[in-house]
Amino acid sequence: MIIEALIAVTFLAALVTFVLPDRYAGKAAFALSLAPVIGSLYMWQQYDASGNALLGGNIAFETDVVWLQLGQYDLHWMVGVDGISMPLVVLTTILTTLAIVSAWTPIAERQSQFFGLMLLMEANLLGVFTALDFFVWFVFWEAVLVPMYFLIGVWGGPRRKYAAIKFFVYTNIASLVMFIGFISLVFGLGDSITSLRLPEIAQALQAGQLGSFAGLSAGALASVAFIAMFFGFAVKVPVAPLHTWLPDAHVEAPTPVSVMLAGVLLKMGTYALLRFNFTMLPETARAFALPIALLAVASVIYGALLALAQQDLKRIVAYSSVSSMGYVILGLIAYTTYGVGGATFQMVAHGLISGLMFMAVGVIYNTTHTRMVSDMSGIADRMPVTAGIFVAGAFGYMGLPLMAGFAAEFFIFKGAFESTVMEAMPLFTGAAMFGIVIVAGYLLFAMQRTLFGPFRFDGDYDVTEAPFHDVAPLAVLLLLTIVLGVSPDIFFTMIQDAVNPILELGGAF
């Protein structure tokens, strides 16, 4: 029951941190967060599953017991991991620990509550990536919103209340639409299922057990449910034009919260799209390949162009996340081993690189108290280590070889070019690749203006190198980005093993 222990220890760490005095909270939260890191790395080292958890594969660290009964359905406590969820569990634990360390400098009040909420959010995120019963999964999915709402609304910037409410409203409405779509599938399956376990539902759908419901035929019901779930998850990703909550949330959130938002919370959306839409309803996904590919390319190009127009470093990185998540959607709809596998790998790679970039911007802000490109230049002379890591992270975002971003984008582009889901996929892939050029444009512009040239700073603060505890998390993330770029098989082999069964699915409707 290692997954239960992992989640329980994280919840317990959050409770302990809540009651500690503020002066001890940050260091204690860091120490307590190491337990989930060790646990997740142990799980990765001992991982021996095969196949896809929803499609009859061997599930690692599985627990499946009846919990409650709801009408004709048994609600199970079912948790476990496969090659899709295991890397995201490791990413969540490592990024939370580093985000906690990065919060030591900027968070000066209500520290016990802040760090407690960070650990509470981590526990719920671990539940999202390991739960295999819809009821349990949905509880964790919604519970993630609560700590994030308070982390933005209490410790955020001047417009924090607006950003927190907007985030909560957008994601709550999206969850409602998604819930309606999924439950319509459950009702359509009728007596062919006896629980809300995701493997049982996925396998019933693939066996052609979906019937009519609410006057809709099986095929129409599958289409309506797919659209509803896609909308709900696309808001979380986010996909353009459903992205407008993201820049406000990022800009107003404290840097450690932005790290978790970009690094892990956005991956909830893409993970759920893969688990629900692209695994449970593959033929419906293929039928919607054209609009999905259009949305993917639009997110890549539009997000990159919006980033190019920004003067706030945090907004630049925020909009770049919209662009990067567009690549994930493109890889998913390709329905090839490298496409879907690369999309999953990109979730991890982007989690590391976006976390690195947000942390670097936060370190610069801690010293200069500004994020505006026009307010500073030449700060590399005063902050050489931070500037060097920022440059390395930016090149990782651009897809520099031997870094995780390059491996992820290479897999996605290879898979998308080889896709037979529709004849125009090579054209969509080529258009998406143009996004890399725009990414290079806005990142090089930001670096050239802020880091290099004659030193100039329009402020009253002394610009010096950041303390060790601010720079250390940056160095760790950079090292992990390089390690994963040099040796992508650390995760990619298990990812391929889990996505291949999805590609073998035939049409049930």
Side-chain angles (χ1 to χ4, degrees):
M1 299 181 69
I2 188 170
I3 293 177
E4 289 84 346
L6 188 70
I7 296 173
V9 165
T10 312
F11 270 122
L12 182 61
L15 293 175
V16 170
T17 305
F18 274 125
V19 300
L20 287 175
D22 279 355
R23 64 181 180 274
Y24 302 127
K27 306 299 189 297
F30 166 69
L32 292 169
S33 71
L34 291 175
V37 173
I38 294 170
S40 67
L41 291 176
Y42 173 79
M43 289 172 61
W44 169 73
Q45 196 272 330
Q46 295 292 320
Y47 178 84
D48 62 351
S50 60
N52 188 285
L54 268 61
L55 301 174
N58 177 28
I59 304 172
F61 314 109
E62 179 185 7
T63 302
D64 184 8
V65 295
V66 177
W67 181 22
L68 299 170
Q69 189 164 14
L70 184 65
Q72 72 180 69
Y73 303 108
D74 292 329
L75 304 182
H76 289 238
W77 172 264
M78 185 178 186
V79 293
V81 293
D82 62 4
I84 293 171
S85 51
M86 186 70 254
L88 294 172
V89 169
V90 176
L91 173 70
T92 300
T93 58
I94 291 176
L95 210 55
T96 302
T97 297
L98 297 176
I100 286 172
V101 176
S102 73
W104 288 356
T105 296
I107 304 303
E109 59 181 19
R110 300 184 180 181
Q111 293 172 330
S112 59
Q113 292 97 320
F114 179 89
F115 291 108
L117 287 170
M118 289 284 285
L119 289 167
L120 179 61
M121 181 167 60
E122 178 188 13
N124 289 313
L125 285 166
L126 292 172
V128 168
F129 294 131
T130 57
L132 292 172
D133 179 275
F134 178 76
F135 181 80
V136 177
W137 176 86
F138 191 71
V139 169
F140 282 123
W141 175 272
E142 290 296 283
V144 170
L145 303 181
V146 178
M148 178 58 74
Y149 171 80
F150 286 108
L151 287 167
I152 298 173
V154 176
W155 288 272
R159 300 175 71 241
R160 59 186 179 273
K161 293 181 180 179
Y162 167 79
I165 292 172
K166 188 175 182 179
F167 160 77
F168 198 84
V169 169
Y170 267 62
T171 50
N172 240 348
I173 292 174
S175 294
L176 175 61
V177 175
M178 174 272 294
F179 182 85
I180 293 171
F182 182 82
I183 292 300
S184 67
L185 286 179
V186 173
F187 290 154
L189 287 169
D191 295 333
S192 64
I193 59 172
T194 59
S195 74
L196 297 182
R197 290 176 295 179
L198 299 182
E200 182 180 349
I201 293 170
Q203 291 168 44
L205 288 169
Q206 294 314 308
Q209 299 295 322
L210 186 65
S212 59
F213 174 70
L216 297 173
S217 66
L221 178 59
S223 297
V224 171
F226 183 94
I227 293 170
M229 291 191 296
F230 189 93
F231 173 85
F233 299 138
V235 171
K236 183 78 77 174
V237 173
V239 174
L242 306 172
H243 67 284
T244 56
W245 64 269
L246 182 67
D248 292 318
H250 270 310
V251 169
E252 298 305 320
T255 295
V257 179
S258 289
V259 170
M260 294 301 295
L261 179 58
V264 186
L265 263 74
L266 303 190
K267 311 309 176 293
M268 290 169 57
T270 49
Y271 169 80
L273 278 172
L274 177 54
R275 281 291 197 217
F276 289 82
N277 291 69
F278 291 92
T279 300
M280 294 185 179
L281 300 170
E283 286 304 306
T284 309
R286 290 184 175 96
F288 286 111
L290 178 59
I292 292 174
L294 282 170
L295 284 173
V297 175
S299 294
V300 170
I301 302 300
Y302 186 60
L305 289 174
L306 286 174
L308 187 62
Q310 304 305 310
Q311 291 292 320
D312 184 321
L313 287 173
K314 211 173 187 185
R315 279 189 176 272
I316 290 174
V317 182
Y319 279 117
S320 68
S321 292
V322 178
S323 182
S324 296
M325 289 298 96
Y327 290 124
V328 176
I329 303 300
L330 183 69
L332 291 177
I333 195 56
Y335 268 108
T336 59
T337 300
Y338 278 99
V340 181
T344 309
F345 190 85
Q346 169 76 335
M347 298 182 205
V348 181
H350 180 263
L352 296 174
I353 298 173
S354 65
L356 169 60
M357 294 298 289
F358 274 113
M359 278 190 194
V361 171
V363 170
I364 293 172
Y365 179 78
N366 293 341
T367 301
T368 64
H369 295 267
T370 182
R371 298 188 303 262
M372 303 306 293
V373 173
S374 58
D375 289 346
M376 51 188 161
S377 68
I379 64 171
D381 288 339
R382 309 295 177 91
M383 305 178 69
V385 177
T386 301
I389 296 176
F390 185 96
V391 170
F395 277 106
Y397 234 129
M398 296 179 214
L400 184 72
L402 302 183
M403 300 186 81
F406 170 80
E409 290 174 1
F410 174 79
F411 293 150
I412 290 171
F413 292 146
K414 174 179 171 59
F417 270 122
E418 294 175 348
S419 174
T420 58
V421 72
M422 61 177 176
E423 292 183 0
M425 273 301 288
L427 296 178
F428 285 107
T429 308
M433 292 181 73
F434 183 70
I436 298 176
V437 178
I438 307 175
V439 169
Y442 64 71
L443 288 176
L444 290 172
F445 164 78
M447 288 191 296
Q448 188 270 331
R449 291 286 301 276
T450 58
L451 303 181
F452 305 113
F455 176 76
R456 179 184 59 79
F457 174 57
D458 298 336
D460 300 326
Y461 300 94
D462 185 23
V463 180
T464 58
E465 186 57 81
F468 175 77
H469 65 260
D470 281 355
V471 176
L474 298 178
V476 173
L477 282 175
L478 178 59
L479 177 62
L480 293 175
T481 302
I482 295 172
V483 168
L484 202 58
V486 172
S487 184
D489 278 349
I490 291 173
F491 287 140
F492 195 62
T493 299
M494 66 172 65
I495 289 172
Q496 282 183 305
D497 183 63
V499 302
N500 280 335
I502 301 173
L503 310 178
E504 299 165 3
L505 297 176
F509 312 114

